[in-house]
Each structure stands twice: as structure tokens, then as C-alpha cells.
Amino acid sequence: LQRVHVLPQTVLYIADAETFSGHEECHEQKKARKRNSKETAIALEKLLPKRCQVLGLVTPGIVVTPMGSSSNQPQEIEEGEAGFALLFPKIDGVKIHTFHFSKDLKNRVFDESKFAEAGLKNNPDLRVVLLFGYNSWKSGATRFLHQIVNPLNEKSIILAGGQVESFTSLTSENNNAQPGDACGVVGLAFSGPQIQSATVLLDQDVADERTAEAAMQRLKAANIPERNTIGFMFACVGRGYRHYKTKRNMEADAFRKFFPNVPLFGFFGHGEIGCDRIVTGNFVLRECNDIKDDLLHGYTTVMTLIHLGLTK
């Protein structure tokens, strides 16, 4: 029997901070921790093909479906070491690419021509943008995130993501050129006419099983095909079992109930990006009288489906 290897073209990996920093004994080890996470990232990337695009994120907690198998229950892992990697092969009719915008300390205004360079403007096939802000505690970080999100806030594009602790890898970049204390946005853009996507926002009022399931019902009503579909969950660190009064895994379980065959991945972070929005073949969306949707939130969860088309 011949073994067939499918090489990944794009890899998204997410691990919680403990996995990347190890358990340092002393507090003055912050530099060592940074170095440690860099070494871990380099070791991981050595396992991947040279031309592979890699985006690695460090977050306070993760959401993962073990082995990406629909027979496994998705898990919200809020404490302890955990991580996962999503490996995307070449998919006919789908282009996935990474991007990175960092805040220029000299210019207050973001140069929007960078959007076109990153394939985020003048791209009629753009369907989904997953966005991750890092070093969000820095002065000016929120304003910078607004400068990135606002021009992309179009009804025909799904935007989803959140604020992470840091990013460890972006292979299209020279990592050393990036000052460690800058803030910015990294992400993945999905382009292709066959891509369908939908997203729902679970706000602070969603606080029990009934309201969580009602949100999943809204997502189900988008009628996104479930084959070749990935689910993403971007939740606030303030949600999870604390928010649901010690009941663990509430949102992941609600997702699994309505989407028994879709693997779910994501993280717990420091702020969420998303809204209720559907992008399908006909691109008819609920009209909001041209009022832009509010995309930046706290204490919420964003649930997203990305359908990559039906392969032959």
C-alpha cells in the first residue's frame, strides 16, 4: 500500500501561554520565557515544509476538537497546557494567506494601501478574514485595531477573531525585525468563490444552556454545508465556566449539539472580534441601513463556520 502524504500549505497553530513558556521557577525569567517560546516555535516549524505559511498564536486558553475528528467532543481548556495545529493543504478554488500589520510608532494614520498588498482590498473573492490583535494592553493598540477593522467591515466579508497574548510565528516575516513591544494585528484571509461562512455573537446576556443553544440555532439557520467545514470559537477569558456558574464546556457542547460533524477550534482571549453575519453564494445579507456593525467586544463569544467548498 502506498502512503500518500498531503503537504500543508498553510498552518495555524495556537497554544496557551504555559505550553510556550514552560514552568519558570523565578519571576525574573521573562526574557528567558520569550526566548523559550521562540525556540519552541522554531523547533515546531522545522517539522513543516519550507514554503509553508505559518501563523502561531499564544493565548490564555484554547478550544480544541481532539484529532479534529467529528466523533470527538470539542473541549474548552481554560487551564493547563494545551495546543493544536490546523494544517491546510492546497485546496482547489481556495486561497489562504497570512498577513501582519504592526503599529508604526511614527505615523498615527495607517497606510491603507497595505490592505491591497495583503489581498484584503480589491479582492472580489475575499470571503473570510480571521484577525488577531496582539499586545492589546499597549497604549494606542485599540485605536490601531479600529484602523484595521473599520475599512474591512463590509457585509460581504466575515470578520472574526480576538485579542491574543502574542504571536510566535509568521514565516512570511523576518521575525527579528519586529520590536517585541510593538502592537499589531496578524491574521488569515480566505479567498475563493466557493467559500461560505457565517458567524454569531454570544453577548453577556447569553449565560445559560438555553440562551447558548438559541445562539447556535441562529448559526444553524445560516444553512452553511457541514461537509468540509471548520468551526471557530473566540471567547473572552471572562466567560467559560466562571460565566456559566461552574458549568464547564457549555458553549462547545451547545455547538456540538447543533453541529455533530464540524470540528471546533479556537481560544480564550482578551477581547473578541465579530458580529452576526452570513456570507453564502448569493451574498444577500440582512441590511443594516448602511450602519457599520460593531465588531469589537468584551465578555462575549464569537462562533464562526467556514465552509471550504465541496471537493470532488
Side-chain angles (χ1 to χ4, degrees):
L1 192 69
Q2 269 191 316
R3 293 180 69 181
V4 179
H5 295 275
V6 178
L7 290 178
Q9 280 209 329
T10 311
V11 173
L12 169 67
Y13 70 84
I14 302 179
D16 72 296
E18 281 179 36
T19 303
F20 261 88
S21 58
H23 296 283
E24 307 298 355
E25 299 307 314
C26 348
H27 291 296
E28 79 228 359
Q29 298 261 12
K30 199 140 192 202
K31 272 205 176 109
R33 251 173 72 170
K34 259 205 155 126
R35 192 170 63 243
N36 190 347
S37 69
K38 195 77 162 257
E39 284 162 9
T40 309
I42 289 165
L44 193 76
E45 283 168 35
K46 281 194 172 138
L47 304 172
L48 298 166
K50 276 256 189 305
R51 285 206 276 289
C52 186
Q53 300 184 93
V54 183
L55 174 56
L57 305 173
V58 179
T59 60
I62 70 156
V63 179
V64 63
T65 304
M67 304 309 291
S69 163
S70 58
S71 59
N72 288 325
Q73 199 66 18
Q75 296 171 9
E76 298 175 21
I77 303 173
E78 298 182 58
E79 287 118 12
E81 295 185 30
F84 66 84
L86 286 177
L87 283 68
F88 295 96
K90 185 178 192 312
I91 304 165
D92 285 343
V94 174
K95 184 173 189 290
I96 304 171
H97 68 270
T98 56
F99 60 86
H100 179 202
F101 304 123
S102 62
K103 185 171 182 291
D104 184 338
L105 301 171
K106 294 185 284 290
N107 291 330
R108 278 178 65 79
V109 181
F110 180 72
D111 175 6
E112 288 194 16
S113 69
K114 290 181 180 167
F115 284 129
E117 282 169 37
L120 301 177
K121 275 281 173 207
N122 311 324
N123 175 2
D125 286 340
L126 183 64
R127 298 287 179 266
V128 184
V129 180
L130 298 183
L131 290 161
F132 311 108
Y134 61 89
N135 285 352
S136 57
W137 48 274
K138 299 291 284 184
S139 146
T142 305
R143 188 172 170 275
F144 182 72
L145 185 58
H146 274 287
Q147 288 183 334
I148 302 299
V149 167
N150 291 349
L152 298 176
N153 189 0
E154 293 174 13
K155 297 280 184 279
S156 58
I157 303 170
I158 294 286
L159 293 175
Q163 302 270 22
V164 301
E165 296 208 343
S166 59
F167 78 96
T168 55
S169 310
L170 196 69
T171 43
S172 58
E173 296 280 322
N174 170 2
N175 272 339
N176 301 328
Q178 185 52 35
D181 56 355
C183 59
V185 175
V186 291
L188 280 182
F190 294 77
S191 305
Q194 73 216 37
I195 294 172
Q196 296 185 44
S197 184
T199 178
V200 294
L201 179 74
L202 286 68
D203 63 21
Q204 285 161 293
D205 297 343
V206 176
D208 57 29
E209 201 163 5
R210 184 184 60 81
T211 47
E213 289 186 359
M216 299 310 151
Q217 230 157 351
R218 289 207 312 278
L219 193 58
K220 186 83 176 174
N223 280 325
I224 301 295
E226 289 185 32
R227 201 162 151 251
N228 290 343
T229 294
I230 311 167
F232 285 100
M233 171 176 162
F234 305 115
C236 179
V237 283
R239 285 182 79 85
Y241 71 90
R242 295 173 194 82
H243 181 69
Y244 287 103
K245 307 290 184 276
T246 70
K247 191 162 169 33
R248 289 180 180 268
N249 228 61
M250 176 81 85
E251 292 175 343
D253 286 349
F255 179 88
R256 173 53 87 234
K257 183 173 174 180
F258 287 90
F259 301 96
N261 301 307
V262 178
L264 183 67
F265 300 95
F267 59 72
F268 289 89
H270 303 295
E272 302 74 58
I273 301 168
C275 64
D276 279 27
R277 190 176 283 183
I278 304 166
V279 171
T280 56
N282 56 8
F283 301 112
V284 177
L285 302 164
R286 60 184 183 84
E287 285 310 314
C288 305
N289 307 323
D290 292 329
I291 297 167
K292 292 268 189 183
D293 289 312
D294 189 13
L295 290 172
L296 304 183
H297 312 277
Y299 299 105
T300 63
T301 298
V302 174
M303 284 283 187
T304 306
L305 295 173
I306 302 178
H307 169 68
L308 298 170
L310 294 172
T311 50
K312 297 174 190 63

